[in-house]
Amino acid sequence: MAMYRVASASEYLVITRFGIDDIKIAKKAWILPGQSCSRFDISPVNYTFDVQAMSAEKLPFKLPAVFTIGPRIDDDDSLHKYAKLIASHDKQSHHVIELVKGIIEGETRVLAASMTMEEIFKGTEDFKKEVFDKVQLELNQFGLLIYNANVKQMVDEPGQEYFSYLGQKIQQEAANQAKIDVSEAKMKGEFGSKLRQGQTLQNAAKIDAETKIIATQRQGQGKKEEIKVQTEVKVFENQREAEVAEANAELAMKKAKRAKDSQVVELESKKVVALREAELQKEVEIMNTLTQTEKLKAEFLSKASVDYETKVQEANWELYRKQK
């Protein structure tokens, strides 16, 4: 009968046998008849060791360390390796502890054997980092990951006092260096004080000299500006005089032209008046001639009319007389 299985938040299901060639890892799945299902925990575990190693000078020492190790869950291949090689054992079992301890001690010893004790002591952080990197490379084949590693201060093996002496040496060197630093600081302080006094005097002299230079420059600049202004005023006055002379000449030319134009206009006016007088005289003469002609016509017509009337009267009288 099929069964539905669900793993908790920190677990995975491992399904094998019927219908599965290798193993199947899932958080939830139907378990069919003929299949086998087990669970494994993925929570990391702390492993505490006193790693014993030996330097290149054959000096033994201990490296107390705490490693937090667990399965790598962000990589399917690593998770499969862990499920097949480690998951069936208890994480705190002797088998797993010896496996992890063997890898850590082996890599630490190999690395320590290639370094002097002083190199290990002075480059502790680099030494630790290189140990972690090499251990991680070995743990990868089991699908394990170092989540955290805390390595304490390296200590001497019983009967050995190298680290103690080395620490005292470093402390003494630090004390001596501090004394040297204090002496140098005092010397620098005295030197700095004298230097400041000298610099103060130099700066004061420099400021005085610069002040005099600036004052002289300003006086010269003032004179230059005054000469410049006077020159500009003179140039302006000359320009104004030239402009006035030019304006006067232009005005004289305009007056001469205006006088000439007036004379021309006057002559033309006289010509027009003379022509007009001649025309008027001609018109008067024509009018006189016409008047005389009309007068003669009138006199001639009057005389003819009188003669005509006289003759008519005479004819009428003659007719009247004959009728009587």
Side-chain angles (χ1 to χ4, degrees), residues 103-122:
I103 292 174
I104 294 173
E105 286 187 344
E107 295 302 324
T108 303
R109 287 170 181 169
V110 170
L111 182 61
S114 65
M115 301 173 67
T116 65
M117 189 65 81
E118 189 169 358
E119 289 174 343
I120 295 172
F121 187 77
K122 290 185 176 180

Side-chain angles (χ1 to χ4, degrees), residues 262-280:
S262 298
Q263 291 176 358
V264 171
V265 170
E266 185 177 357
L267 290 174
E268 289 180 351
S269 298
K270 289 180 179 180
K271 287 181 180 180
V272 170
V273 170
L275 289 173
R276 185 59 180 164
E277 288 178 350
E279 289 177 355
L280 291 173

Side-chain angles (χ1 to χ4, degrees), residues 14-31:
V14 180
I15 306 168
T16 58
R17 297 174 63 182
F18 179 72
I20 299 173
D21 294 334
D22 188 8
I23 62 173
K24 178 182 178 182
I25 298 176
K27 293 292 288 184
K28 54 187 176 180
W30 283 98
I31 309 302

Side-chain angles (χ1 to χ4, degrees), residues 48-144:
T48 303
F49 306 107
D50 283 335
V51 181
Q52 296 180 342
M54 188 174 292
S55 68
E57 303 97 336
K58 308 300 181 184
L59 295 173
F61 65 92
K62 287 194 298 184
L63 185 68
V66 178
F67 286 81
T68 303
I69 298 174
R72 182 188 290 272
I73 61 175
D74 58 352
D75 180 68
D76 291 340
D77 186 54
S78 297
L79 203 57
H80 276 73
K81 289 179 181 179
Y82 179 81
K84 290 193 290 185
L85 301 175
I86 305 295
S88 60
H89 302 279
D90 185 87
K91 288 182 285 188
Q92 294 288 4
S93 66
H94 179 74
H95 173 76
V96 176
I97 292 174
E98 287 299 316
L99 174 67
V100 174
K101 182 179 179 181
I103 292 174
I104 294 173
E105 286 187 344
E107 295 302 324
T108 303
R109 287 170 181 169
V110 170
L111 182 61
S114 65
M115 301 173 67
T116 65
M117 189 65 81
E118 189 169 358
E119 289 174 343
I120 295 172
F121 187 77
K122 290 185 176 180
T124 302
E125 293 302 321
D126 293 336
F127 175 74
K128 293 176 183 177
K129 184 178 183 303
E130 195 162 353
V131 168
F132 300 158
D133 292 342
K134 291 184 178 296
V135 170
Q136 182 60 63
L137 286 176
E138 293 298 319
L139 292 177
N140 286 340
Q141 60 186 321
F142 299 99
L144 293 171

Side-chain angles (χ1 to χ4, degrees), residues 202-217:
Q202 290 178 3
N203 290 335
K206 182 179 178 182
I207 291 171
D208 290 340
E210 290 178 350
T211 302
K212 291 180 180 179
I213 292 172
I214 292 172
T216 304
Q217 289 177 344

Side-chain angles (χ1 to χ4, degrees), residues 80-251:
H80 276 73
K81 289 179 181 179
Y82 179 81
K84 290 193 290 185
L85 301 175
I86 305 295
S88 60
H89 302 279
D90 185 87
K91 288 182 285 188
Q92 294 288 4
S93 66
H94 179 74
H95 173 76
V96 176
I97 292 174
E98 287 299 316
L99 174 67
V100 174
K101 182 179 179 181
I103 292 174
I104 294 173
E105 286 187 344
E107 295 302 324
T108 303
R109 287 170 181 169
V110 170
L111 182 61
S114 65
M115 301 173 67
T116 65
M117 189 65 81
E118 189 169 358
E119 289 174 343
I120 295 172
F121 187 77
K122 290 185 176 180
T124 302
E125 293 302 321
D126 293 336
F127 175 74
K128 293 176 183 177
K129 184 178 183 303
E130 195 162 353
V131 168
F132 300 158
D133 292 342
K134 291 184 178 296
V135 170
Q136 182 60 63
L137 286 176
E138 293 298 319
L139 292 177
N140 286 340
Q141 60 186 321
F142 299 99
L144 293 171
L145 174 68
I146 300 175
Y147 285 91
N148 186 40
N150 182 18
V151 178
K152 300 178 183 179
Q153 182 63 43
M154 291 179 287
V155 296
D156 294 307
E157 286 283 358
Q160 301 290 332
E161 297 182 351
Y162 182 81
F163 284 119
S164 176
Y165 289 145
L166 193 59
Q168 292 177 13
K169 175 186 175 184
I170 292 174
Q171 290 178 358
Q172 189 62 42
E173 288 177 351
N176 293 336
Q177 186 62 43
K179 292 179 181 179
I180 293 171
D181 292 341
V182 170
S183 299
E184 288 182 352
K186 288 182 179 179
M187 182 182 67
K188 288 180 180 179
E190 293 176 356
F191 175 76
S193 177
K194 296 293 184 182
L195 181 62
R196 288 193 189 93
Q197 291 178 2
Q199 288 177 342
T200 301
L201 294 175
Q202 290 178 3
N203 290 335
K206 182 179 178 182
I207 291 171
D208 290 340
E210 290 178 350
T211 302
K212 291 180 180 179
I213 292 172
I214 292 172
T216 304
Q217 289 177 344
R218 287 181 178 174
Q219 289 178 357
Q221 189 68 26
K223 289 182 179 179
K224 286 170 64 177
E225 292 294 331
E226 183 179 356
I227 294 171
K228 181 179 178 182
V229 171
Q230 291 176 353
T231 303
E232 290 177 351
V233 170
K234 189 63 178 176
V235 170
F236 178 75
E237 290 177 350
N238 293 337
Q239 289 178 347
R240 290 295 299 162
E241 290 177 358
E243 290 175 357
V244 170
E246 184 179 356
N248 290 334
E250 186 176 355
L251 180 61

